[in-house]
Amino acid sequence: MKVGVLALQGAFAAHQSRLASLDVAAPAVRVPADLDGLDGVVLPGGESTTMSRLLITSGLHEPLRAAINAGLATFGTCAGMILCATDVHDGRADQVGFDQIDMTVQRNGYGRQLDSFEADLDVAGLDAPFHAVFIRAPLVERAGDDVEVLARHEGRPVLLRDRRCTVAAFHPELTDDARLHEQFVAAI
Amino acid sequence: MSDSPAMTRTTGTFPVKSGLAEMMKGGVIMDVVTPGQAKVAEDAGAVAVMALERVPADIRRDGGVARMSDPEMISGIQDAVSIPVMAKARIGHFVEAQILAALGVDFVDESEVLTPADEAHHIDKWAFDVPFVCGATNLGEALRRISEGAAMIRSKGEAGTGNVIEAVRHLRSIIGDMRRITQADSAELFDWAKRLQAPLPLVQEIAQTGTLPVPLFCAGGIATPADAALAMQLGAEAVFVGSGIFKSDDPETRAKAIVEATTHYNDAGILAKVSRGLGAPMTGIEMDDVNQRYAERGW
């Protein structure tokens, strides 16, 4: 099992160590050659505007989009969720992504850093609540009819899935709870 | 799945503070003095901007007391960009920090680049919901700042010089001592804590993990893509670039190149490509000619 972690910028190292703790090889993905032989990919949190720029300059945008379109299992957290959404509010005009999930997200929709927070979530398929950390998180304004909502916070979707792509507005890589990574890996 | 929405929401915790620092890893934080410069930084791919009145090179040239920036100028930069905005408070000046928090800045830099306000005490950063970054020249200083509540450490380097030698010295000192601590036995850790003048539990934690409990970034003297990659290869997790961008001939091009170099820091082919044709870097200062060592401020 080999799950690449997009390592252009952001919290990629935390995802890599979490996957390594599950005995999954988790190479960093920075250039197109790093995509060879992957069974899945994690798009980490960070600044989506920075990642968008680096996706272009690194030449990764087109081949990674093609791989995800072809069914590469994908887990996007925070900025990674923004990269997977079809519609982004308050993004840059030239911002690129992967258009995987029919949803509208508002960048930094929960506010500035002082509005960042922790909360317990009830997650579909998990017996006990999942403790989640939200950092300048994207706010899901709309989820398409075909999109599965796996968790909500204060009524808003925060964990969603469509086919082979799962996205979270929060950071499962920043807490000790490995259950969401286990679910993602098990479904590959 | 329960239908009742979860209503709990806890703000200002340490995981929330250090979490934002985690999101900036692998990125470049750029000093800006106007909304226009902030846009250039965001366009180039900066992960955050540091809003200040004068870049360190100008503070160095002008002399006098350097203080927190005008809130109007900080608000203007907050309105201009969507990436996080940081701002500097003087060492020990907790009221400047309170004002910056009231402005809603995303990170406060308790910075030696400004003139210190207290010669014995740093800010009690646990008292704030906003995260703080502090400079350090060695591991003891880093651990004292973490014990005061800092959510990010940056090696100090020597700001406004365009000379990377001090940043390298401080990074090597911090990371080298952490490497040595992982080799120490449990009895030796007491001596390490005493010599570093640092809390024993933090020293014991480093013995286990080999790293700081918060992200370690590099600042002070980075002027080229190669400088940024050097800091990253030495073990920094992101870089601050102050005077190095907007004191160069072509800030837009240089900013983009430093962003790419920070991501691809281990790929000499890419570093060679992005280092071409950037125009002149900031002139820089040899350390013997530095009139005031900012890194010596703080304790």
Side-chain angles (χ1 to χ4, degrees), chain B residues 109-131:
Chain B
D109 184 2
E110 187 182 19
S111 177
E112 71 282 0
V113 170
L114 305 184
T115 310
D118 189 319
E119 62 184 4
H121 309 93
H122 282 251
I123 296 171
D124 172 9
K125 294 163 275 286
W126 296 111
F128 288 80
D129 284 346
V130 67

Side-chain angles (χ1 to χ4, degrees), chain A residues 8-10 92 107 118 154, chain B residues 9 13 23 43 82 263:
Chain A
L8 297 173
Q9 190 275 316
R92 294 171 52 82
R107 270 186 75 219
E118 298 182 51
E154 296 180 358
Chain B
R9 194 189 272 225
T13 61
M23 294 313 126
D43 289 348
S82 64
T263 292

Side-chain angles (χ1 to χ4, degrees), chain B residues 9 33 81 98 144 203 221 291 295:
Chain B
R9 194 189 272 225
V33 302
V81 294
Q98 290 164 6
R144 289 193 291 281
V203 174
N291 51 359

Side-chain angles (χ1 to χ4, degrees), chain A residues 114, chain B residues 68-69 74 78 87-89 95-105 107-109 130:
Chain A
L114 285 168
Chain B
M68 176 189 81
S69 296
I74 293 168
Q78 286 175 313
K88 291 183 193 287
V95 174
E96 285 189 347
Q98 290 164 6
I99 292 170
L100 294 175
L103 292 172
V105 303
F107 238 102
V108 174
D109 184 2
V130 67

Side-chain angles (χ1 to χ4, degrees), chain A residues 8-10 30 46-47 50 53-54 92 107-108 112-114 116-120 122 135-136 150 153-154 171, chain B residues 1-2 5-6 8-11 13 16 23-25 43-47 78 82 84 101 104 106 263-264:
Chain A
L8 297 173
Q9 190 275 316
R30 292 193 176 92
E47 279 305 313
T50 304
R53 231 200 93 68
L54 289 163
R92 294 171 52 82
R107 270 186 75 219
N108 309 325
R112 292 187 176 280
Q113 171 61 12
L114 285 168
S116 294
F117 62 96
E118 298 182 51
D120 284 328
D122 290 324
I135 309 288
R136 286 172 50 97
L150 302 172
H153 178 259
E154 296 180 358
H171 292 283
Chain B
M1 183 176 133
S2 158
T8 51
R9 194 189 272 225
T10 318
T11 57
T13 61
V16 163
M23 294 313 126
M24 295 180 185
K25 283 183 175 179
D43 289 348
V47 290
Q78 286 175 313
S82 64
D106 297 293
T263 292
H264 301 285

